[in-house]
Amino acid sequence: MGPFSFSKKERLLNRADFVNLNRHGERRHSRHFIVTFKKNGLSITRLGITVSKKAGNAVKRNRIKRLIREFFRLNKPYFPKGYDINIAAKKDASYCDLRKIGEEIGVIIFDKEFRV
């Protein structure tokens, strides 16, 4: 697969992984997102996306998920290796476009404290 792919091994899929990440992970907040992350002991970064019904109807929720996946896919080389990351959308996240999502999540993920 190419460098811009988003394969199945790079996704958080199991409920146990999400629960473990939410219990033991570190959280960072922005206006529209909550990012939870934790080292996973693997050589890859895995992404999980959580969008509740508070964010809007199915069309809005799916759009948010598509945009977050696209941001991850395009910026994968800049993400720290060996982390599980869950991005949870807050209530008004459906009004964000790709640029706004990139600004908010980028500030959280690419800051100096996270790059340990």
Side-chain angles (χ1 to χ4, degrees), residues 2-113:
F4 295 113
S5 66
F6 185 46
S7 64
K8 200 164 190 173
K9 67 180 181 179
E10 296 174 323
R11 301 174 192 201
L12 276 178
L13 298 173
N14 298 333
R15 183 180 190 281
D17 291 335
F18 278 96
V19 170
N20 185 28
L21 181 59
N22 282 327
R23 283 188 183 156
H24 304 292
E26 186 177 334
R27 282 183 187 79
R28 301 269 170 86
H29 297 264
S30 72
R31 178 156 194 233
H32 296 106
F33 300 99
I34 300 170
V35 178
T36 310
F37 55 91
K38 175 181 163 308
K39 281 196 177 269
N40 63 12
L42 304 172
S43 62
I44 60 169
T45 298
R46 299 187 303 173
L47 177 70
I49 302 170
T50 306
V51 184
S52 72
K53 287 188 176 182
K54 291 180 183 178
N57 62 14
V59 174
K60 291 179 181 178
R61 292 194 308 268
N62 288 333
R63 181 176 179 275
I64 293 167
K65 290 186 278 188
R66 277 196 316 272
L67 291 173
I68 292 171
R69 280 194 304 266
E70 182 71 1
F71 172 75
F72 178 76
R73 192 182 67 78
L74 294 174
N75 295 289
K76 198 181 342 179
Y78 306 112
F79 277 77
K81 302 290 183 233
Y83 279 88
D84 284 343
I85 300 171
N86 184 35
I87 300 174
K90 291 183 180 178
K91 187 176 181 181
D92 295 330
S94 64
Y95 299 109
C96 294
D97 58 355
L98 184 60
R99 183 188 56 80
K100 182 70 173 167
I101 289 173
E103 288 173 2
E104 286 194 31
I105 296 174
V107 167
I108 295 171
I109 292 186
F110 304 134
D111 73 351
K112 294 186 193 286
E113 291 178 336

